[in-house]
Amino acid sequence: MRRLLNIFRRKVAAPQPASDEERPFKERYLYFKKLLSENNAVLEIMADLEDKRSGEYIFDMNYIRTSCSKLVDSVQNIIVNLDKLSKGKYPDLYFAFAKINSKIEATLTNKTEIPVTDFTIPFDSVTKDMVNSVGGKNANLGEIKNKIGLPVPDGFCISAYAFKRFIEFNELKNKIILSSVDIVDMEGLNKISREAQNLIMQSQIPPDIESSISNAFSELSRKISSRAGSPTASVRSSAIHEDAKFTFAGQYKTALNVKADNVIENYKRVISSLFSPRAIFYYKSKGFEEEDMVMAVGVVEMIDAKASGVMYSRDPTDAEKNDIIINAVWGLGKYAVDGTVAPNVYIVSRDEPRTILEKTTPGQEVMLKCNPKEDVVEVEVPEEIRTTSCLTDDQIKSLADYAIVLEKHYDTPQDIEWAIDEKNNFFILQTRPLRILKEKPVKNIQAITKGYKIIINNGNIACKGVGAGKVFFIKKEEDLEKFPEGAVLVAKHTSPKFVTVMNKTSAIVADVGSPTGHMASLAREYNVPTILNTKIAMKTLEADKEITVDAINGNIYEGRIEELIEAGKRENPFKDTAVFKFLRALLNNIVPLNLIYPEDEKFSPDYCETFHDITRFAHEVAMREMFQVADSPNIKKREAVKIEVKIPLEIYVIDLDGGIKSDSKKITPDQILSMPMNALLRGMMDIEWPGPPPINVKGFLSVVASTAMQPHSEKLLWEPSFAIISREYMNFNIRLGYHIQTIEAYVGDNINDNYIRFLFKGGGASIDRRARRTKLIKEILERVDFDVKRTGDVLDARVTKYDKPNILKKLGILARMTAYTKQLDMTLFNDAMVDWYLKEFINKYYIAE
């Protein structure tokens, strides 16, 4: 800790104590102003971080790191300016800072370690514990092959260490910079994606890695030559976080039916897909960093499937059901997961003897097959099997058995890809955790939707929930760049590319698609209400028309049904992401406030556990330093003086420069020359201050209950209010019973300098009543153009860059509002009271302005 302190002191050059005679008062005022400015910066950053924790915004680790860096700088500056202001009275703040900052740095430096391994590793040697070496998809295939004993294709992994070596060999780490990418800027995202992928494709595979891949493919060919005349492989992504808690479904490239000569080139194509726009968006929106973007690759025996598909060991849209869902298509499984064709659907009981509960066999006209030369080709499904089931009953039950085995082994529901070859041999191609949504059904649906027209009432629910917005058609990929916030995405086919707008869309509707497809998995991960396979959405719905998508009951309504939207509200999906975990861990060392009461013996640097504690302590003692009457003659000339004013406040002011025109220890309002203070006092004097509110028993008891928990609460009732003023500046800390508010303002001739800042917190009543009061204050301030941020009973408002007359008018309204809302928290027993008081204030005190 001492070493950390020494490092910090070197960085910030903490000053030595000096005598009062060496410290002109204005210099101390300058330190105080700097401290206040940094304090406001810290509060803004903390408020923004807490706002992000609400889950209503998408952000990435770059945002967190940048915010933390600014926060650290501002907290350091607070300490330094307090040190100068107080003549070095609080050196222990440096220790407190070092202790807290070390915890924050430890959280931020938690990086993924890539172990040193061979460049290629055969599936025979792989288990699920090797995720950081071979990626999630490969690790699961190795586990299935070696620990569970179910059939998987042969193959080998090109390791994560090989990827790391490739990046280092071509010096790409300093060329591919993603930290500054704004994931909501589609144009910028596409640009940096193209640049990154071009760099990958133009780079050379190190000779030793190329040799290792070539030797591994030769060994694979030898092993499978008995069942494949000319062995080919699929080259598949296996990023280190893929197929784990986050699916990355459909985000990366897979090359199918690849011959030996083209494995190296396709390896580069697969790792370049790590930097596709949708993959970058997915990574950053889930909170991963560039160090986490590591791609292992699987080179897997190509199965020329007779049929293939996806299987869910449970119904992902209904946690209560006890069913297995199997989707199947003729040919290769790509058409099953990307929604190109409508699959066969089989619903199977999980109970023995795996009874087939339901079969759906829509016609399939085209399928994907291996091209005899290389790659794949779309061909027509033979007419005699187009409308027949892809699987026999025995095969369906065998797959269901596999699903049960895999779920039991991994101890969680599974999303499984499978294939069956021309000899009727099954292969498991992939397994990953299946996200199950737990949605409560909306009650009284008929009463809620009465009078609203149903436009579409067919389709398959892929993700439950309710969303509403204007229809926006996606007919080509470029349309995604223009997708508006809050719209309903409507498309012919599903696509994993839709992930780039899943943070903006209120619902997804598609004519063709399967609840077991890649996009459906992503929709559940992002918790976007989704209805697929409607068949008629593209021709029935109208662009820009408002609709409500009820993906709980499977209906699409004309217009916006607010009650239905409210009833179908969903948990925010981003709260489970890595970035949220980082944010929550960091905020534990930043936001909680332990130092509340200055009278408490623990109100000291020794008990600062968070940055908020440091700023609270520093602000309080800085005010104390400024208001103290010291022995220095320089400060004695500027003692705190009392304003004799006929309002229920005891107000003391310190004049910094031209704020008052009297040397008396008591002054009257007409002796105030400070423009902001004068405007505020006039406003407070213009209104008849309310007396005690009508007694409301619950309100009174809420005050008793709330204040009983505060050991020093009775003292808050009698604390005086202090203002620091100059002719243009005011910092007024107002004590009104159990709540505190600070009004800071600058009023000058330069419009760019002018601002008002209003901070409000607390009250004597219960938290719900205090929150209603801040809601009322927010409504009033927004009427006069304040930018207001409100969280519970805490409110932060500001207005900037208005000319002098308008700033002064706004201060007058702020003054009247301060008096008007003084004790309202005790009376605000429901939301209707907020509306009533808002109307009264506007009628009496706002229109006159």
Side-chain angles (χ1 to χ4, degrees):
M1 188 60 69
R2 289 282 177 186
R3 286 198 297 272
L4 283 169
L5 175 62
N6 290 335
I7 291 169
F8 175 65
R9 283 189 178 278
R10 282 199 300 273
K11 180 175 180 180
V12 300
Q16 296 298 314
S19 67
D20 278 341
E21 285 70 27
E22 296 170 349
R23 297 182 172 279
F25 189 83
K26 284 188 178 180
E27 182 182 327
R28 297 184 68 188
Y29 168 52
L30 178 63
Y31 298 144
F32 180 67
K33 278 194 71 174
K34 288 180 178 178
L35 186 149
L36 291 179
S37 176
E38 296 292 356
N39 182 72
N40 287 337
V42 168
L43 293 175
E44 284 179 2
I45 296 167
M46 288 197 302
D48 194 55
L49 287 167
E50 288 192 280
D51 208 22
K52 297 299 186 292
R53 185 168 58 178
S54 72
E56 295 180 10
Y57 307 94
I58 297 262
F59 57 93
D60 58 18
M61 282 301 297
N62 184 55
Y63 160 79
I64 289 183
R65 290 190 182 279
T66 302
S67 297
C68 282
S69 177
K70 292 176 181 177
L71 191 68
V72 166
D73 288 344
S74 289
V75 173
Q76 287 179 337
N77 290 335
I78 286 173
I79 297 171
V80 169
N81 282 292
L82 179 62
D83 212 354
K84 292 177 178 179
L85 175 63
S86 68
K87 302 177 293 179
K89 287 183 184 177
Y90 308 102
D92 287 347
L93 273 182
Y94 292 108
F95 289 103
F97 172 86
K99 177 181 68 175
I100 298 163
N101 195 45
S102 65
K103 292 179 182 178
I104 290 172
E105 288 183 350
T107 303
L108 289 171
T109 53
N110 184 19
K111 295 183 179 179
T112 303
E113 294 295 329
I114 303 302
V116 176
T117 65
D118 292 338
F119 296 136
T120 56
I121 303 170
F123 280 177
D124 292 339
S125 304
V126 173
T127 65
K128 68 178 181 181
D129 300 322
M130 297 172 64
V131 169
N132 282 10
S133 297
V134 300
K137 191 180 295 181
N138 286 335
N140 284 333
L141 282 176
E143 182 77 5
I144 296 167
K145 178 181 177 68
N146 301 312
K147 294 294 181 70
I148 305 176
L150 294 182
V152 301
D154 272 314
F156 64 90
C157 315
I158 306 175
S159 67
Y161 179 65
F163 173 84
K164 184 179 178 183
R165 173 72 192 288
F166 167 78
I167 296 294
E168 291 170 350
F169 182 83
N170 292 283
E171 300 179 345
L172 295 179
K173 187 174 182 179
N174 296 325
K175 298 176 183 177
I176 300 175
I177 308 296
L178 304 179
S179 58
S180 61
V181 176
D182 183 354
I183 55 177
V184 299
D185 174 13
M186 288 298 298
E187 186 177 343
L189 197 62
N190 286 330
K191 180 176 181 292
I192 200 162
S193 169
R194 285 192 300 271
E195 292 170 354
Q197 291 188 82
N198 287 338
L199 281 170
I200 295 287
M201 294 307 298
Q202 292 164 10
S203 296
Q204 179 186 351
I205 301 292
D208 48 354
I209 295 178
E210 187 169 345
S211 175
S212 181
I213 294 172
S214 178
N215 292 336
F217 193 87
S218 295
E219 177 60 21
L220 174 63
S221 298
R222 185 189 64 77
K223 289 173 68 176
I224 64 177
S225 59
S226 60
R227 56 179 179 266
S230 178
T232 60
S234 62
V235 182
R236 308 178 67 190
S237 66
S238 185
I240 57 172
H241 294 289
E242 190 176 2
D243 288 356
K245 183 171 183 179
F246 303 102
T247 67
F248 291 84
Q251 299 309 298
Y252 305 126
K253 184 175 178 57
T254 293
L256 299 175
N257 200 29
V258 177
K259 290 190 174 180
D261 293 345
N262 290 322
V263 169
I264 296 297
E265 184 67 13
N266 279 287
Y267 169 64
K268 288 205 294 185
R269 287 177 182 163
V270 171
I271 61 176
S272 75
S273 70
L274 186 66
F275 302 100
S276 71
R278 62 183 188 270
I280 295 172
F281 175 90
Y282 189 99
Y283 252 99
K284 292 177 78 67
S285 70
K286 293 297 183 182
F288 297 109
E289 298 191 80
E290 289 178 54
E291 291 83 355
D292 298 312
M293 296 182 75
V294 177
M295 178 68 82
V297 170
V299 180
V300 187
E301 171 191 3
M302 186 68 208
I303 305 300
D304 191 7
K306 178 173 74 173
S308 49
V310 178
M311 173 169 56
Y312 289 163
S313 64
R314 291 185 184 271
D315 187 335
T317 66
D318 193 338
E320 303 301 319
K321 282 189 176 180
N322 193 39
D323 300 338
I324 296 167
I325 300 175
I326 302 172
N327 279 11
V329 298
W330 293 111
L332 298 174
K334 184 176 184 296
Y335 280 4
V337 297
D338 69 7
T340 301
V341 299
N344 288 203
V345 180
Y346 311 110
I347 310 298
V348 184
S349 172
R350 290 172 54 86
D351 299 327
E352 294 281 4
R354 311 281 188 255
T355 302
I356 301 171
L357 305 174
E358 185 181 328
K359 280 186 185 181
T360 305
T361 55
Q364 182 181 340
E365 296 187 358
V366 294
M367 62 181 175
L368 208 61
K369 293 290 288 182
C370 289
N371 191 320
K373 295 182 179 178
E374 194 172 27
D375 206 351
V376 293
V377 62
E378 182 178 283
V379 299
E380 290 187 355
V381 177
E383 192 169 347
E384 64 270 17
I385 63 171
R386 284 182 184 178
T387 57
T388 62
S389 174
C390 297
L391 299 172
T392 66
D393 287 359
D394 287 343
Q395 289 171 336
I396 293 168
K397 292 179 179 180
S398 293
L399 276 177
D401 287 338
Y402 286 175
I404 297 293
V405 170
L406 288 167
E407 180 180 305
K408 185 176 180 180
H409 180 80
Y410 285 100
D411 197 28
T412 190
Q414 293 293 295
D415 171 356
I416 305 150
E417 292 184 20
W418 58 270
I420 185 170
D421 67 12
E422 295 291 351
K423 298 178 181 178
N424 292 322
N425 297 311
F426 274 118
F427 295 90
I428 301 299
L429 305 180
Q430 182 174 331
T431 192
R432 58 184 169 218
L434 175 65
R435 183 181 178 89
I436 305 290
L437 296 180
K438 298 178 180 179
E439 296 284 350
K440 295 179 181 178
V442 178
K443 296 179 180 179
N444 303 320
I445 186 70
Q446 290 181 339
I448 292 174
T449 59
K450 187 177 180 180
Y452 289 91
K453 179 183 176 183
I454 294 178
I455 309 172
I456 297 174
N457 63 354
N458 61 284
N460 304 125
I461 296 170
C463 179
K464 287 190 174 182
V466 178
K470 292 183 178 180
V471 171
F472 189 90
F473 291 117
I474 299 294
K475 298 178 180 178
K476 53 186 183 300
E477 186 176 348
E478 291 75 16
D479 294 338
L480 292 169
E481 297 182 19
K482 307 168 190 172
F483 192 87
E485 187 78 33
V488 175
L489 189 158
V490 181
K492 181 70 175 175
H493 298 281
T494 58
S495 169
K497 294 175 182 178
F498 295 170
V499 72
T500 56
V501 296
M502 284 186 181
N503 62 313
K504 297 195 288 186
T505 183
S506 61
I508 296 174
V509 178
D511 283 351
V512 179
S514 165
T516 57
H518 281 157
M519 193 226 70
S521 293
L522 292 167
R524 287 189 290 274
E525 200 167 324
Y526 282 81
N527 216 349
V528 180
T530 302
I531 298 178
L532 305 178
N533 210 28
T534 66
K535 298 181 175 62
I536 60 171
M538 289 292 285
K539 64 182 180 183
T540 303
L541 300 176
E542 295 180 50
D544 293 325
K545 290 287 186 181
E546 193 118 46
I547 61 171
T548 298
V549 178
D550 174 10
I552 296 175
N553 300 285
N555 297 318
I556 299 175
Y557 295 89
E558 193 175 76
R560 187 179 185 88
I561 311 176
E562 292 293 348
E563 193 175 353
L564 185 59
I565 297 165
E566 184 65 27
K569 269 190 174 177
R570 313 173 305 281
E571 282 293 316
N572 191 291
F574 300 105
K575 289 187 175 181
D576 291 330
T577 60
V579 73
F580 262 90
K581 290 182 180 179
F582 268 110
L583 181 59
R584 284 193 290 264
L586 286 168
L587 289 182
N588 287 337
N589 295 304
I590 293 171
V591 169
L593 184 60
N594 306 294
L595 272 59
I596 299 173
Y597 304 109
E599 302 88 350
D600 196 319
E601 63 180 11
K602 292 184 178 180
F603 195 87
S604 74
D606 292 341
Y607 292 94
C608 288
E609 299 293 334
T610 66
F611 278 169
H612 199 172
D613 287 337
I614 289 178
T615 58
R616 167 72 172 124
F617 176 82
H619 185 269
E620 183 67 29
V621 297
M623 291 288 292
R624 195 182 302 163
E625 290 290 328
M626 289 297 292
F627 290 123
Q628 267 182 351
V629 180
D631 292 332
S632 167
N634 289 331
I635 296 179
K636 276 189 173 181
K637 293 177 183 177
R638 294 172 172 84
E639 293 178 345
V641 297
K642 185 176 181 180
I643 303 177
E644 297 289 347
V645 60
K646 293 180 180 180
I647 59 175
L649 285 177
E650 185 180 0
I651 304 173
Y652 290 84
V653 298
I654 285 182
D655 179 24
L656 299 175
D657 184 21
I660 58 178
K661 59 178 179 181
S662 172
D663 293 331
S664 172
K665 291 191 176 182
K666 291 183 180 181
I667 60 173
T668 58
D670 59 5
Q671 293 173 301
I672 297 289
L673 298 178
S674 170
M675 288 182 287
M677 189 69 190
N678 195 290
L680 202 71
L681 283 175
R682 281 193 293 105
M684 288 180 171
M685 293 162 62
D686 282 347
I687 184 173
E688 182 179 348
W689 283 62
I695 292 297
N696 173 279
V697 175
K698 288 186 178 179
F700 176 74
L701 290 176
S702 78
V703 172
V704 173
S706 178
T707 58
M709 303 300 292
Q710 304 179 30
H712 301 285
S713 59
E714 72 282 354
K715 294 183 180 180
L716 294 175
L717 289 169
W718 313 112
E719 289 192 10
S721 299
F722 286 97
I724 298 172
I725 62 174
S726 69
R727 184 167 180 81
E728 298 87 7
Y729 175 77
M730 172 191 69
N731 187 286
F732 192 9
N733 196 319
I734 306 172
R735 303 277 182 166
L736 284 169
Y738 295 108
H739 77 263
I740 301 169
Q741 62 188 54
T742 300
I743 303 172
E744 186 180 37
Y746 189 93
V747 184
D749 295 325
N750 188 332
I751 193 172
N752 290 316
D753 293 337
N754 294 342
Y755 69 94
I756 304 171
R757 176 81 181 275
F758 177 74
L759 302 172
F760 183 100
K761 178 176 174 57
S766 58
I767 183 63
D768 58 328
R769 293 168 187 255
R770 301 202 307 267
R772 289 189 189 105
R773 176 162 59 179
T774 55
K775 181 182 178 184
L776 171 62
I777 293 171
K778 180 176 185 287
E779 296 278 353
I780 292 171
L781 292 179
E782 286 179 339
R783 298 275 177 142
V784 284
D785 305 321
F786 276 78
D787 179 22
V788 185
K789 293 182 179 178
R790 168 181 168 265
T791 305
D793 69 338
V794 180
L795 185 141
D796 184 353
R798 66 174 55 215
V799 65
T800 62
K801 297 185 180 180
Y802 277 82
D803 60 21
K804 187 188 297 183
N806 275 300
I807 285 283
L808 294 174
K809 283 183 180 181
K810 292 178 191 302
L811 280 168
I813 293 175
L814 194 57
R816 289 190 281 279
M817 184 204 69
T818 294
Y820 182 79
T821 60
K822 176 174 175 280
Q823 293 177 309
L824 284 188
D825 54 338
M826 197 156 62
T827 69
L828 293 171
F829 53 86
N830 63 31
D831 291 340
M833 294 299 296
V834 174
D835 296 333
W836 189 91
Y837 280 113
L838 175 63
K839 290 176 183 175
E840 185 187 61
F841 181 84
I842 290 169
N843 290 334
K844 284 187 176 182
Y845 307 114
Y846 171 65
I847 295 175
E849 283 294 327

